[in-house]
Amino acid sequence: MNNPVAVVIGERLARYGFPDGHPFGPDRHAAFLREFEARGLQRNVQVLEPREASYEELLAFHTPRYVDFVRERSQTGQGFLDGGDTPAFRGVYEAAATVVGASITASDAIMAGTARTAFVPIAGLHHAGRDHAAGFCVFNDCGVVIELLRSRHGLSRIGYVDIDAHHGDGVYFGFEDDPAVIFADIHEDGESLYPGTGKAADTGRAAAVGTKLNLPLMAGSGDRAFQGAWARVLEHLERFEPQFLLLQCGADSVEGDPITHLRFSPAMHGQAAQDLVRLASRLGHGRVLALGGGGYNRSNLGKAWSEVVAGLA
Ligand SMILES: [Zn+2]
């Protein structure tokens, strides 16, 4: 095997970002690379090039009507894709489809055995729903990867763990009644932060009741609160023995983010990655795919994601 950790980066992936001083700007990719290279991490990973997801791949999670809507708005670059958080820009379709393609590239490398674990910095767009954009997220790469792991690779239990400050509502509601998706999400309480969902009582619907774990934390919570919640995430995953682990490691839960109020240290992100690698190994497959997610303090995202890459190795 090549180096067992794959990192998907490249100029095409960097294009996913919104203009005019939007918090999710296109400079986030470079902000990650600066810290990643400063720590010499590129010497310990295999670098993969992203590709654009096909129209059919997007339809694994999204409705054709929504995908067509994004394609139309992408040509004019005018207006918003949602109520006002996620602006259209020229080429937004290609940029968003490349985020999805990057996450598919990473999960395919893991399933082919050419990588054991992988990281994609500009990815983990967990707010996008099956038929709508939301919260800076156009296409939900997490949702597409989960669907493809089942349809193309025949997996039947997939773990999705989310430590972004915001609740992963696009993934939660996308799979709310689906028992194949083992979901665990630590986030800032919806009383103080967008999108307002993710109450502890929400554990899934119908056949999926009990497969979803939502752990809201009060604004201002730090590492101690994270550790307590994290132990419950690990227990939840152990119970269902997922065959593949996804980690949405949004860096906006790190202290000093401009739009959220959690106060984790970047070391928590590293620990999360490391613990999931250990768990995946105990479960006999070793498969962990980490997706960058949010994070609007550039220094924080460089640190937290570099810790994740180091944790994956
Ligand atoms: Zn977030």
Side-chain angles (χ1 to χ4, degrees):
M1 198 194 273
N2 303 316
N3 195 298
V5 186
V7 174
V8 186
I9 43 180
E11 186 270 324
R12 297 177 67 196
L13 185 62
R15 286 183 208 161
Y16 186 86
F18 304 93
D20 307 322
H22 190 285
F24 202 125
D27 60 313
R28 296 171 75 251
H29 182 272
F32 164 65
L33 279 190
R34 269 197 302 279
E35 184 67 24
F36 172 74
E37 285 168 3
R39 295 190 190 198
L41 290 166
Q42 75 278 15
R43 291 194 294 271
N44 306 324
V45 304
Q46 48 169 310
V47 171
L48 301 179
E49 279 284 317
R51 66 167 172 88
E52 188 178 321
S54 69
Y55 183 77
E56 286 68 31
E57 286 172 330
L58 298 175
L59 297 188
F61 182 75
H62 293 290
T63 62
R65 193 187 157 117
Y66 172 60
V67 174
D68 292 343
F69 164 76
V70 175
R71 203 148 60 169
E72 283 160 31
R73 285 287 163 100
S74 183
Q75 279 157 14
T76 63
Q78 300 295 313
F80 284 90
L81 298 170
D82 59 7
D85 290 327
T86 315
F89 58 90
R90 264 185 214 275
V92 63
Y93 175 88
E94 289 76 11
T98 301
V99 171
V100 177
S103 296
I104 297 172
T105 297
S107 63
D108 280 352
I110 293 171
M111 292 310 295
T114 56
R116 197 166 166 82
T117 61
F119 176 67
V120 190
I122 309 303
L125 303 183
H126 62 169
H127 295 306
R130 289 187 182 267
D131 62 356
H132 65 272
F136 319 158
C137 302
V138 179
F139 295 136
N140 194 322
D141 55 304
C142 322
V144 173
V145 164
I146 289 169
E147 294 287 10
L148 293 180
L149 283 171
R150 295 197 289 184
S151 62
R152 285 185 181 168
H153 299 284
L155 301 190
S156 52
R157 290 184 316 283
I158 295 152
Y160 172 86
V161 178
D162 189 324
I163 59 170
D164 190 286
H166 302 93
H167 180 233
D169 55 343
V171 179
Y172 180 81
F173 292 110
F175 299 100
E176 193 181 15
D177 57 1
D178 187 339
V181 180
I182 314 309
F183 176 100
D185 193 322
I186 297 174
H187 50 274
E188 180 176 335
D189 194 288
E191 292 290 330
S192 55
L193 190 69
Y194 175 93
T197 53
K199 293 198 182 351
D202 296 336
T203 63
R205 276 200 306 127
V209 169
T211 60
K212 316 291 185 256
L213 178 68
N214 279 302
L215 298 168
L217 301 181
M218 297 302 290
S221 295
D223 289 358
R224 272 175 84 96
F226 175 82
Q227 298 283 3
W230 184 247
R232 296 185 57 196
V233 168
L234 291 177
E235 273 167 34
H236 182 69
L237 295 170
E238 300 252 13
R239 181 149 17 117
F240 293 96
E241 304 188 344
Q243 299 157 302
F244 190 107
L245 297 175
L246 285 154
L247 170 65
Q248 200 277 20
C249 51
D252 49 11
S253 48
V254 173
E255 178 166 20
D257 191 87
I259 67 173
T260 76
H261 322 94
L262 291 179
R263 303 179 62 186
F264 304 162
S265 65
M268 297 302 102
H269 285 62
Q271 188 199 323
Q274 214 173 346
D275 285 349
L276 292 187
V277 168
R278 285 205 189 100
L279 173 63
S281 194
R282 268 208 308 284
L283 293 173
H285 53 71
R287 300 166 184 146
V288 180
L289 169 55
L291 304 170
Y296 305 102
N297 174 317
R298 280 16 179 191
S299 156
N300 279 356
L301 71 81
K303 288 180 195 154
W305 295 348
S306 292
E307 295 278 342
V308 166
V309 173
L312 291 177

